[in-house]
Amino acid sequence: MAKFALNVNGKTHSVDADPDMPLLYALRNDLGLNNPHFGCGLAQCGACTVHLDGAPIRSCVTPLSAVGNAKVVTMAGLGTPEKPHPLQTAYIQEQVTQCGYCANGWVMTAAALLASKKKPSDAEIKSALEGLKCRCGTHMGILRAVKRAAEMMG
Amino acid sequence: MTKMDKASAFSRRSILKTGGALVVSIGMPVGLDTVLGINAARAQGVKPPLTPDQLSSFIAINADGKVSAFFGKTDMAQGLFTAIGQIVAEELDVPFKAVTVIMGQTASSVNQGGSSGSTGIQFGGKQMRMAAAEARRVLVDMAAERLGIPADQLTVSDGVVHAKSDTAKKVSYANLIGGRYFNVQLEWNKKIGNQLYAPGKAQPKKHTEHKIVGQRIPRDDIAPVVFGTMDYVTDVKVPGMVHGRMIRPPVAGATPAKVDQASIKGIPGARVVHQNGFLGVVADREWDAIKAAQTLEVEWSNAAPPFPDQAAIYDHIRKAPARHRKIEKENGNVDEAFRNATRVVEAEYEWPFQSHASMGPGCGVVDVRDDKVTVWTGSPKSHFCRDGVANILGVPVAKVEGISMQFSGAYGRNDAGDACMDAAVLSKAVGRPVRVQYMRDEGTGWDPKGPASIHRVRAAIDSTGNIVGYEFYSKGFSRWDVQTNESRPERTLAGHFLGAPLKSEDMFGAPAEAYEYANKRTLWETIPPLLDRASPLRTSHLRDPVGPQLHFASESFIDEMAHAVNADPVQFRLKYLTNARHKAAIQAAAEKSGWVTRVSPRKDQTGSTVTGRGIAYAPRNGTIVAIVAEVEVDRRSGKIWARKFTVAHDCGQIINPMGLEHCIEGNIIQGISRTLWEEVRFDRKAVTSIDWMTYPILDITETPETIDMVLLNKPDQPPTGAGEPSIRPVAAAIANAVFDATGVRIRRVPFSPDRVKQSLA
């Protein structure tokens, strides 16, 4: 066991845990942040995706010891109903999700793309999102929402 | 019929005699918005019993006039609750926003079957429509009494009953009954589940009067998802809760012979629960439970590897003795037709085991206490899940409450209910609330599977090219090795590991197409499961159970027949159909896609990338779907891109076109995935599809450019299902398009690049 100071969604939290424990379990169980989700524990699906200093990472395979002072942002920290991120707005407007269990992967990965690339092409969007899983088959809606968000961001 | 309780139990004010009917119960004006409120009210003995013959089991008017609709089904993520809210608001003449649909809670709803067979609207919505209509009738009668105006001179706007001639003469629903319960008896057909039906005396509205039904109303549960505030079953935290993980045998059929508890003694709070073949661990912290499950040293019994080589699975099916044979339909003299045929066309198709592969592996939280058991469940069938927990623990059902929670999409009988049974056994053993979530390898490695099968189809053709005989024969694993819900131990993994035998039942099915061949026979045979106990290849329902495989075969074969007689696939289908709605769906899809009448395959293409188009159609329990697929095939790599789909969809009256469109899109994408990629892999010992690498699904880079739709709204027809019908023809539409593009007929799913390349070689 070791103590970690985690900077999550702009606040610092102290967590006492096994250094090998993936960040996902600290977020969910120690910090009570119900998103992200456990999907595979293998970095294959994206349901656990958070930003680490702005880059999308899989929290299910990222040990606490590797987080350091990096700023962690979860989907809940991306925006609020009062100040939503354009992707959150676009997701609602496009009515994207079915079960929504996968949303962290798509939203957080697309948010990182849109932060670095204005008006990405369809191919660039698909390429950035490659490998993420959605079992309900909401892919068409995801692509519509990312394009809509890109337009909103100008 | 209305029910009268002891008169003394009523205050005079709350009893209204209307046409000989006592219609109102008494009670404190309690808020009914939440399940908690309902419990509080019931504790005062106010609520009629939660039985299907009570209007109060479906509808309540809160003190503020808002409506609670208690729905005994669940929404497996397609926004069903929005459509149910529209139906209830429509019949009650209240604003849509005034209705809250409370789904799948065993404390507040009766068992309407959970998510099952795309019947959410078809059956569940029908019942809610009748209940809401009855509630409106009763409220108008009460208003008639209150206002001294005959009921037929009253109408309702936004929850206020008023005189048609004078809107000032009015009384609100809130004023009439708000916060108290209906005490109205319905005509229950004495069935539970999907078939439950309990209408009152009221007739529902005519479709021409509909104002809310048919509207594109967005679902309101997307915001909580994207702002990270939605609570899933995985997020339930109960005081004192510990985390559980299961340990599955490395060889299916093996049992733990020796468990070395000392091997996990270094892990804080880790404990083993070992009962018969059931083996799990719990720990206070989730990560510790995971580590304990991985670390625990187990010696397994010697079990003979139970499975055939995967390469031999279809031979196994062909050769296995049939356990059950059923002729579904037979008309004319099929054998004679084949004897007299000028020509016989024959083909055989193969479909693999497929997995639900839900995004979230099964999860449930169970708190077993002496006086009460609570199960937080993401099962599609929460009432049956409650029953299962009661049965596996051996306690009365009345002692168990099932709290239905949001979870990742199930697409049939997935592993969500199994996880609750495991949690129940663990909770009873350790005396604490237990949360079990399976790991990914269990999610695809141990969920109930869609069955593998072969389909042999033959046609007798006469000298003029007419089909004069047709036989469709299926042979495969039953779709019911375990039943479609987890209500009994023998239907659950926990039950099997504890010693309940797997009781495989016989069920398959036949194509639902309506082609009118003069002599036609459809039949099926089932074979025994590969293992008679806890099996990672046990079968159960996977979205549109056996529909995709049956119609992959039947709708591929009709193209083979068309090819044999040089006919256009659309024209050939229409020639053998008389049902107007079926024909209209096919024509609509063809027209919208710009279908050009010609014989397949194309013969005008050279080069490595070729394109083609294919059509397939299928009815499903009243819904009719026709799909045109357009594909690109890279002949060198064998890779198929299903580029464009045109879907004509007739599910009778459309309640919410927006919800329907999203539902269809999901079906098409999952259908492409199951056609191009999905196959459960296994070796002699176990299932080897244990993650997303070994059970690949469609990637976003492979999604179609376009999914066009023609929604054939039939407002004068009852609504039928949409959750599954449009997945049904996808595989055949793709197969037919691949044939059109390449001239090669692929008869085995999935159409993975390797297999396609091989077929094209």
Side-chain angles (χ1 to χ4, degrees):
Chain A
M1 298 289 272
K3 274 204 186 331
F4 296 91
L6 295 177
N7 182 325
V8 182
N9 297 336
K11 285 184 194 159
T12 303
H13 303 262
S14 176
V15 173
D16 193 11
D18 180 347
D20 293 337
M21 183 175 88
L23 173 62
L24 173 69
Y25 301 101
L27 295 174
R28 291 182 52 81
N29 297 335
D30 296 288
L31 274 55
L33 291 167
N34 281 344
N35 295 87
H37 297 296
F38 173 83
C40 65
L42 304 162
Q44 290 178 356
C45 76
C48 67
T49 305
V50 299
H51 285 178
L52 207 62
D53 284 338
I57 59 118
R58 305 284 196 260
S59 67
C60 72
V61 294
T62 305
L64 274 183
S65 58
V67 176
N69 297 320
K71 285 181 179 151
V72 178
V73 174
T74 70
M75 192 165 63
L78 197 61
T80 61
E82 296 72 35
K83 277 187 75 176
H85 186 282
L87 269 166
Q88 290 168 320
T89 304
Y91 247 66
I92 296 165
Q93 288 174 345
E94 291 290 347
Q95 293 275 296
V96 174
T97 59
Q98 289 197 6
C99 76
Y101 200 82
C102 67
N104 298 274
W106 302 99
V107 170
M108 298 309 279
T109 307
L113 169 72
L114 296 182
S116 65
K117 179 95 194 167
K118 281 198 168 186
K119 297 258 172 84
S121 67
D122 289 6
E124 284 169 329
I125 294 171
K126 284 187 178 180
S127 161
L129 300 175
E130 185 170 7
L132 294 168
K133 303 291 182 276
C134 166
R135 187 60 170 145
C136 297
T138 66
H139 302 59
M140 305 298 283
I142 291 167
L143 294 172
R144 283 193 295 264
V146 176
K147 275 186 253 183
R148 182 188 275 253
E151 278 163 26
M152 289 162 67
M153 291 168 82
Chain B
M1 251 179 80
T2 46
K3 180 182 165 188
M4 179 178 167
D5 278 328
K6 282 180 195 159
S8 61
F10 291 83
S11 72
R12 286 190 60 83
R13 192 177 66 82
S14 65
I15 298 181
L16 285 169
K17 199 152 194 282
T18 54
L22 281 162
V23 291
V24 185
S25 73
I26 57 156
M28 300 287 287
V30 289
L32 305 183
D33 257 345
T34 63
V35 173
L36 187 69
I38 291 300
N39 283 334
R42 190 192 288 140
Q44 300 166 43
V46 198
K47 193 174 187 255
L50 183 60
T51 50
D53 60 353
Q54 291 292 332
L55 180 55
S56 58
S57 298
F58 302 96
I59 303 285
I61 310 286
N62 300 285
D64 60 2
K66 292 198 169 148
V67 177
S68 293
F70 304 108
F71 191 41
K73 284 186 168 290
T74 59
D75 180 10
M76 280 295 114
Q78 294 167 331
L80 172 64
F81 69 96
T82 308
I84 297 301
Q86 286 176 261
I87 288 169
V88 169
E90 182 70 69
E91 291 301 331
L92 270 167
D93 279 318
V94 298
F96 170 74
K97 283 191 183 307
V99 178
T100 301
V101 181
I102 299 160
M103 290 180 291
Q105 309 305 332
T106 68
S108 65
S109 63
V110 296
N111 185 350
Q112 291 180 264
S115 291
S116 173
S118 302
T119 61
I121 288 173
Q122 188 169 16
F123 298 157
K126 181 181 175 186
Q127 172 55 28
M128 298 311 281
R129 175 177 268 178
M130 297 308 282
E134 178 69 354
R136 183 189 187 278
R137 183 190 72 79
V138 168
L139 287 160
V140 169
D141 275 355
M142 289 164 66
E145 189 80 16
R146 179 81 65 90
L147 297 170
I149 300 171
D152 63 3
Q153 291 173 31
L154 295 171
T155 189
V156 185
S157 306
D158 289 349
V160 177
V161 190
H162 58 82
K164 286 176 183 168
S165 58
D166 181 359
T167 53
K169 291 178 180 164
K170 63 182 181 183
V171 59
S172 69
Y173 285 174
N175 197 284
L176 288 166
I177 198 176
R180 289 166 291 137
Y181 293 100
F182 286 106
N183 189 23
V184 176
Q185 198 153 6
L186 305 173
E187 295 281 356
W188 176 34
N189 66 356
K190 306 292 179 199
K191 292 179 176 164
I192 63 150
N194 290 341
Q195 300 303 324
L196 184 154
Y197 186 51
K201 287 179 180 160
Q203 288 299 312
K205 284 184 184 176
K206 294 192 187 81
H207 71 88
T208 48
E209 299 171 276
H210 285 165
K211 296 188 283 284
I212 302 171
V213 161
Q215 295 300 310
R216 303 176 67 86
I217 296 180
R219 50 195 286 188
D220 63 5
D221 63 342
I222 313 282
V225 168
V226 294
F227 294 116
T229 54
M230 171 79 83
D231 278 331
Y232 291 76
V233 68
T234 46
D235 302 328
V236 171
K237 291 179 176 69
V238 183
M241 181 181 91
V242 295
H243 292 269
R245 286 296 184 279
M246 304 308 299
I247 294 113
R248 305 299 186 201
V251 179
T255 51
K258 205 170 140 193
V259 178
D260 180 9
Q261 310 224 6
S263 60
I264 58 165
K265 71 169 190 251
I267 300 173
R271 288 170 62 181
V272 174
V273 176
H274 176 196
Q275 297 173 11
N276 223 346
F278 180 99
L279 183 59
V281 291
V282 299
D284 294 331
R285 293 178 65 112
E286 188 170 13
W287 182 240
D288 288 332
I290 292 168
K291 279 197 299 186
Q294 290 166 349
T295 309
L296 186 71
E297 287 177 17
V298 183
E299 208 175 284
W300 297 91
S301 68
N302 273 325
F307 303 140
D309 284 336
Q310 182 160 12
I313 188 67
Y314 298 114
D315 279 339
H316 172 89
I317 294 171
R318 280 181 203 101
K319 287 175 193 160
R323 189 177 64 183
H324 186 78
R325 176 184 174 91
K326 185 175 182 197
I327 293 172
E328 284 281 350
K329 273 185 196 158
E330 183 159 20
N331 64 272
N333 191 331
V334 176
D335 297 329
E336 193 182 306
F338 276 94
R339 275 197 299 275
N340 298 334
T342 309
R343 201 150 49 116
V344 171
V345 182
E346 190 166 357
E348 193 170 279
Y349 304 84
E350 295 160 334
W351 191 279
F353 286 110
Q354 292 185 326
S355 169
H356 298 79
S358 294
M359 280 295 292
C363 182
V365 180
V366 178
D367 186 5
V368 180
R369 291 169 189 265
D370 289 342
D371 56 336
K372 190 183 177 189
V373 178
T374 310
V375 50
W376 288 264
T377 178
S379 166
K381 298 181 168 79
S382 45
H383 287 81
F384 288 118
C385 182
R386 170 211 47 195
D387 299 351
V389 166
N391 286 328
I392 207 154
L393 295 174
V395 302
V397 169
K399 267 184 70 175
V400 184
E401 180 180 354
I403 298 175
S404 179
M405 302 285 296
Q406 174 90 5
F407 196 19
S408 73
Y411 329 108
R413 168 78 205 277
N414 71 340
D415 54 0
D418 279 313
C420 296
M421 303 309 134
D422 286 333
V425 175
L426 291 174
S427 176
K428 187 181 179 186
V430 302
R432 302 266 293 271
V434 176
R435 173 188 182 274
V436 167
Q437 182 161 30
Y438 294 151
M439 303 302 284
R440 183 73 251 158
D441 59 340
E442 294 164 276
T444 40
W446 282 90
D447 73 310
K449 303 297 187 291
S453 55
I454 63 142
H455 307 272
R456 202 171 294 149
V457 201
R458 54 190 191 122
I461 303 175
D462 72 8
S463 57
T464 58
N466 286 316
I467 307 303
V468 293
Y470 179 89
E471 184 182 67
F472 188 99
Y473 162 81
S474 301
K475 188 178 184 189
F477 295 98
S478 167
R479 63 197 237 193
W480 283 354
D481 282 349
V482 289
Q483 263 288 0
T484 64
N485 65 64
E486 55 273 5
S487 63
R488 300 210 49 79
E490 67 268 18
R491 299 174 182 179
T492 69
L493 266 187
H496 296 156
F497 282 119
L498 289 168
L502 184 136
K503 284 187 186 162
S504 176
E505 297 173 58
D506 292 297
M507 179 52 81
F508 206 84
E513 41 74 11
Y515 301 121
E516 296 184 5
Y517 309 126
N519 302 287
K520 181 175 178 180
R521 175 160 64 213
T522 61
L523 72 160
W524 53 264
E525 290 178 345
T526 46
I527 64 169
L530 295 168
L531 183 61
D532 63 357
R533 63 205 76 169
S535 171
L537 286 175
R538 73 198 181 288
T539 61
S540 193
H541 278 182
L542 171 62
R543 195 178 203 170
D544 186 24
V546 305
Q549 43 271 66
L550 287 168
H551 298 85
F552 163 58
S554 68
E555 283 292 295
S556 290
F557 189 73
I558 192 167
D559 267 41
E560 301 211 41
M561 293 192 284
H563 175 69
V565 300
N566 285 317
D568 169 82
V570 168
Q571 297 308 319
F572 191 76
R573 281 172 174 78
L574 295 175
K575 179 181 170 185
Y576 290 97
L577 286 172
T578 54
N579 184 306
R581 280 173 76 177
H582 291 220
K583 290 171 83 163
I586 291 173
Q587 284 162 330
E591 189 180 320
K592 173 88 173 174
S593 73
W595 185 273
V596 177
T597 301
R598 62 170 171 79
V599 175
S600 283
R602 291 179 65 169
K603 293 197 174 94
D604 56 346
Q605 302 187 95
T606 52
S608 64
T609 304
V610 288
T611 66
R613 55 94 198 264
I615 190 162
Y617 115 98
R620 188 182 199 280
N621 298 339
T623 296
I624 307 117
V625 183
I627 295 179
V628 173
E630 295 169 52
V631 304
E632 266 183 37
V633 184
D634 182 339
R635 300 180 62 98
R636 279 177 306 192
S637 67
K639 190 140 191 195
I640 293 169
W641 180 33
R643 190 176 62 79
K644 185 183 171 197
F645 286 80
T646 308
V647 185
H649 196 280
D650 174 356
C651 56
Q653 181 186 41
I654 298 171
I655 307 299
N656 183 330
M658 186 193 275
L660 178 59
E661 287 162 4
H662 285 91
C663 188
I664 292 171
E665 273 190 0
N667 269 292
I668 300 301
I669 297 290
Q670 199 177 80
I672 303 169
S673 181
R674 286 176 70 179
T675 306
L676 299 186
W677 288 111
E678 294 186 33
E679 176 173 39
V680 171
R681 301 176 195 173
F682 55 91
D683 61 19
R684 301 288 312 281
K685 299 176 188 165
V687 168
T688 55
S689 282
I690 49 168
D691 58 16
W692 295 111
M693 309 301 283
T694 48
Y695 193 77
I697 63 171
L698 193 78
D699 190 68
I700 193 142
T701 53
E702 303 161 336
T703 47
E705 226 162 51
T706 315
I707 299 177
D708 274 344
M709 292 176 206
V710 190
L711 302 185
L712 299 161
N713 190 19
K714 302 281 162 62
D716 58 334
Q717 296 293 318
T720 51
E724 297 163 283
S726 53
I727 202 171
R728 182 167 270 198
V730 172
I734 294 173
N736 293 337
V738 170
F739 177 75
D740 188 52
T742 64
V744 174
R745 174 61 59 182
I746 303 176
R747 301 191 182 92
R748 180 187 286 185
V749 163
F751 303 167
S752 55
D754 280 355
R755 188 163 297 152
V756 172
K757 212 167 137 183
Q758 235 171 34
S759 305
L760 296 178

